[in-house]
Amino acid sequence: MFKKDLLYKLGIAVYLIVWYVGSFWMMAALQSGLFGHLFGVDWSVVHEYAYYALAGGIGGTLYALRLFHEYYDQLSERWLFWYLLRPIKCAGAAVMTIILFQSGILLLQTGDSVLAKIGIAFLVGFGYGKVMDKLKSLAETLFNGKSGGSSDTKGPQAPGKTVWDEDETPK
C-alpha cells in the first residue's frame, strides 16, 4: 500500500492546507457574523483577536508550507510535531504580540487600524522564530535586569534543576 513516510507527508500537506484555507474561511465567517454566540462566547466582542490569531496562523502555515516544499525529500518523522504545532503556536504568538503592542510594552506605531494589526499578526506568524528570540530577549531584560542575548542571563538556579541552553534542550 503506502509507505509510512508518504502517509506522513500527505497528512502534513493536507493538515497545512486545511489550516491555510480554513483560516481565510474563518475570517470571512467571522466578518459575516456566522457564529454569533458559539460555545458560550460572544464572537462580536473578541472577533478582532480571532482575526489576529487567524492571521498569525496563516503566516505560520505559509512558512511551514514553504519549508515543506523546500525540504520535502528530507522530511522525517522527527519534524511531524513541528509541522503540526506551527500554526497553533503562531496563532497564539500573534495574539499575544498584538496585546503587547496595545499595552505599550512593545513599541510599534501602527495606529488603531485593525488591518495594520492583522498584517503584524501575519508577520509574527511568518517570522515566529525571530519574534520568539526578541520576546525572550525582552523577558530577560525585564526580569533579570540584564540586557543582551547571552546565555549567562539565566538568573539563579535551584539545586537539582536542569539548566536549559538557547534551543531548550537539556545540557
Side-chain angles (χ1 to χ4, degrees):
M1 189 123 187
F2 286 111
K3 287 180 163 180
K4 187 171 147 181
D5 65 329
L6 184 60
L7 285 176
Y8 286 139
K9 291 176 182 179
L10 182 62
I12 290 170
V14 169
Y15 175 78
L16 291 175
I17 290 169
V18 167
W19 251 99
Y20 189 72
V21 173
S23 293
F24 283 109
W25 181 86
M26 284 290 293
M27 282 183 158
L30 283 170
Q31 181 65 30
S32 71
L34 176 66
F35 297 117
H37 284 80
L38 185 66
F39 303 119
V41 176
D42 181 5
W43 288 95
S44 65
V45 175
V46 296
H47 74 279
E48 285 184 19
Y49 294 102
Y51 291 149
Y52 307 148
L54 292 167
I58 290 168
T61 303
L62 186 62
Y63 185 83
L65 282 167
R66 183 183 69 81
L67 288 182
F68 179 76
H69 178 262
E70 189 172 334
Y71 295 104
Y72 179 82
D73 293 333
Q74 300 168 11
L75 185 65
S76 67
E77 194 174 306
R78 176 187 184 281
W79 290 98
L80 181 65
F81 286 106
W82 185 92
Y83 283 104
L84 293 176
L85 293 175
R86 177 75 185 206
I88 298 165
K89 294 187 312 183
C90 293
V95 171
M96 291 312 300
T97 302
I98 295 299
I99 290 172
L100 289 171
F101 283 135
Q102 288 177 334
S103 70
I105 293 173
L106 293 178
L107 299 176
L108 183 68
Q109 294 187 352
T110 60
D112 289 333
S113 166
V114 173
L115 288 177
K117 292 174 187 172
I118 288 172
I120 291 169
F122 169 81
L123 291 173
V124 167
F126 192 80
Y128 175 80
K130 298 203 182 311
V131 171
M132 289 298 108
D133 290 342
K134 291 295 181 186
L135 289 176
K136 181 180 178 186
S137 176
L138 174 65
E140 286 175 351
T141 301
L142 286 174
F143 301 117
N144 286 341
K146 300 176 185 175
S147 63
S150 72
S151 58
D152 327 329
T153 59
K154 296 196 184 316
Q157 178 184 349
K161 296 288 183 179
T162 305
V163 176
W164 299 86
D165 66 5
E166 295 301 314
D167 63 356
E168 299 183 4
T169 55
K171 286 186 178 180

